Amino acid sequence: MQKTRKHLELLAPAKNADFGIEAINHGADAVYIGGPAFGARAKAPNTVQDIARLVQHAHRFHAEVFVALNTIFHDNELEGVRQLVHQLYDSGVDALIVQDMGLLELDLPPIQLHASTQTDIRTVEKAQFLDQVGFSQIVLARELDIATVKKIADATAANLEYFIHGALCVAFSGQCFISHAHTGRSANRGECSQECRLPYTLEDQKGRIIGKNKHYLSMKDNDQSANLRALIAAGVSSFKIEGRYKDLPYVKNATAHYRQLLDEILKEMPEYAKSSAGHATYTFTPQPEKTFNRSSTDYFANGRQADIGAFDTPKFAGEELGKVRKVGKDFIDVATDIELHNGDGVCFFDVHKELVGLRVNTVQALDKYTYRLFPNEMPADIRNNTQLYRNRDHAFMRLLEKDSASRKIAIDAAFYETPDGFALTLTDEQGFSATSQCSAEKQLANDVEKAETSLRENLAKLGNTDFIARDIGLELTQPWFLPASTVNQLRRDAVEQLVDIRTLAYERPLLRAAAEPPAIYPQDSLSYLANVYNQKARDFYHKHGVKLIASAYEANEELDEVPVMITKHCLRFSHGLCPKEAKGVIGVQGTVTAEPMTLISGNDRYTLKFDCKPCEMHVMGKVRKHILQMPPPQPIAFFDKRPA
């Protein structure tokens, strides 16, 4: 099946093959995973063999596997990239998620290409260009509001992918270089040092301190649960959960949560279809707030909001419990209406505003709204009226640590007579059918009711297969007696055939042809912000009308102070200091401008410049001298039998 925008896709992250298999079992229509190299999460590599194992499991449900090959490549790496892509294609991978346009100039197999969010898709013009050069799916910038998504959908034909859950990078994806500038670890090379999660002091232009030791570049986590219908109406068909570094309970919980929400929508909107087969059932009730999150925001989906930052902590504080009533030698009493359990994890902010966590060994209920907690180690500075939070619900996590989902494909069974015996036809929810037959003597049943009940029960015994019986039809002229062994063999043969038919029927998505003549890029010159790191990428852009091309920041040719982070998050707006907002209040006339601010971390000082026309904040910085001495990346070879 070739997907259109009418096929809704739940796309889940896979740190490894086992996580991906669980995501499929919990209802994902597709998963994305990193390969052995060149993925934007360098600490989550996977062998081609493991990816092939994931592909085999996913394709049982006609679900898909995408490999994130979304770093920028040095010239030394291009041959290794080419070899790896061929291996991934041979392993059955459905699509590649890519950032580097040089990949499109390599000798590749006909594997479908998706434009990564690192390609910085936040304008209609950029989306149109990527739509015309061969991308079947484009991953929109997280910062886009729903109205802009609709404009992009109206101007393009590619499927649109949108992040609906998980961590938010403060910078426009692909437009953050602060990690490379300071450590040589490039976000565009999968090695981000996450300097956005550090504490900073914020000063205004006159040196007055606005705030100290706050995580001013740390965002809350994304949650678009309430916006799914609006996103569908705007043209989004792929709904992406962030989290290739996240643990397995997070993947299970988030996938199950959005699977249930999308299934509700599919029931309401018959004009849309699910993009894979099977229905997942769970041993738990999904509650995304119980696994890692920094509180939640729908970011810019419905326009700019002030409360999008996780300034207090980049860690998982969890659900609010209540305040401490009493502190004893080895216990803490807390007032709360939330049921607590032995093994829970709780936390609080200490006098230094740092989040302190502790594990509760034993919980004792004192009354309906008061619990006594006996932690494994008493914290030094907890006191009465301290607000407590729970960041590990032990009972909930125990459910997720076990087998917590089962995914089954619904089938209809038709059992009927043939001239010399009986036959069984199984038809699955996608319309695939298989028939098995047997020769058998037809004997009338002594107990009609018992015979029919036994026959239905044996036909429905699908056990550990991928199937579950939805309807069992009996087309018999007489109430025949059949031995259970005969019925069981018919069922096993039909199931085996159906599995084979489904396997042969699976269609890998097609590579989309680029437009001819080649589309023209929206600009004729590119700065370091375009992330051009190799000659093949230069060739690509030259072919598409670009005349002047600067090297990527990672080439270390930008020696002066430049924006090392570009973000739609605005610290002036967050603190009620936005001149655009003030203009309507105090009658300011003329051009709207904002004075710079300064972020301070240790001995580092970063000037914040505000470009009010597009509503952007630029964090200014320059590459450190020792980074300039680092050698270029070395070639990575992958075994490949094909000629170069």
Side-chain angles (χ1 to χ4, degrees), residues 438 456 567:
C438 71
R456 289 184 180 277
T567 172

Side-chain angles (χ1 to χ4, degrees), residues 272-314:
Y272 291 93
K274 192 176 176 182
S275 63
S276 66
H279 177 74
T281 56
Y282 312 106
T283 64
F284 66 101
T285 300
Q287 298 176 74
E289 69 278 4
K290 285 186 177 291
T291 44
F292 188 94
N293 67 88
R294 302 176 180 91
S295 190
S296 64
T297 174
D298 69 357
Y299 214 31
F300 293 93
N302 292 297
R304 184 178 288 279
Q305 306 170 52
D307 190 25
I308 62 174
F311 296 164
D312 290 333
T313 179

Side-chain angles (χ1 to χ4, degrees), residues 196-199 213-221 292-295 309-318 347-349 353-356 389 391:
C196 56
R197 302 297 183 185
L198 297 176
N213 294 321
K214 291 281 190 179
H215 301 267
Y216 282 119
L217 298 177
S218 179
M219 298 292 95
K220 291 181 178 179
D221 279 11
F292 188 94
N293 67 88
R294 302 176 180 91
S295 190
F311 296 164
D312 290 333
T313 179
K315 299 177 182 178
F316 176 33
C347 56
F348 65 96
F349 288 95
K353 305 299 182 183
E354 293 294 325
L355 194 66
V356 176
Y389 304 84
N391 55 8

Side-chain angles (χ1 to χ4, degrees), residues 101-142:
M101 295 299 126
L103 190 82
L104 279 68
E105 297 295 301
L106 299 181
D107 173 27
L108 299 182
I111 191 167
Q112 189 172 94
L113 300 177
H114 296 183
S116 169
T117 188
Q118 273 83 11
T119 59
D120 189 28
I121 308 167
R122 49 189 160 112
T123 66
V124 172
E125 294 75 19
K126 183 71 170 287
Q128 284 179 314
F129 175 76
L130 293 169
D131 183 50
Q132 294 169 20
V133 298
F135 288 102
S136 299
Q137 192 150 298
I138 55 180
V139 189
L140 301 175
R142 294 169 172 90

Side-chain angles (χ1 to χ4, degrees), residues 115-189:
S116 169
T117 188
Q118 273 83 11
T119 59
D120 189 28
I121 308 167
R122 49 189 160 112
T123 66
V124 172
E125 294 75 19
K126 183 71 170 287
Q128 284 179 314
F129 175 76
L130 293 169
D131 183 50
Q132 294 169 20
V133 298
F135 288 102
S136 299
Q137 192 150 298
I138 55 180
V139 189
L140 301 175
R142 294 169 172 90
E143 295 81 1
L144 290 186
D145 59 48
I146 294 172
T148 304
V149 172
K150 179 68 166 62
K151 291 177 183 177
I152 289 174
D154 290 343
T156 58
N159 292 331
L160 303 184
E161 184 178 315
Y162 193 89
F163 278 93
I164 57 168
H165 194 82
L168 289 165
C169 291
V170 63
F172 292 113
S173 291
Q175 304 294 283
C176 186
F177 313 97
I178 192 169
S179 178
H180 177 80
H182 287 179
T183 67
R185 294 168 51 189
S186 165
N188 283 317
R189 301 271 298 158

Side-chain angles (χ1 to χ4, degrees), residues 353-425:
K353 305 299 182 183
E354 293 294 325
L355 194 66
V356 176
L358 53 98
R359 179 62 65 86
V360 178
N361 286 340
T362 307
V363 174
Q364 179 183 345
L366 300 182
D367 58 46
K368 189 175 180 180
Y369 297 112
T370 308
Y371 287 88
R372 178 159 289 177
L373 313 181
F374 295 90
N376 57 354
E377 184 177 342
M378 282 293 292
D381 55 358
I382 195 164
R383 58 198 66 190
N384 287 349
N385 293 317
T386 298
Q387 179 66 53
L388 286 187
Y389 304 84
R390 178 169 66 178
N391 55 8
R392 177 184 169 85
D393 181 339
H394 186 65
F396 184 75
M397 296 300 286
R398 287 289 298 274
L399 290 173
L400 291 175
E401 287 164 359
K402 301 174 183 177
D403 288 340
S404 51
S406 176
R407 182 167 180 168
K408 298 289 184 179
I409 300 166
I411 60 171
D412 296 329
F415 186 83
Y416 52 95
E417 298 175 38
T418 63
D420 64 343
F422 300 92
L424 173 65
T425 296

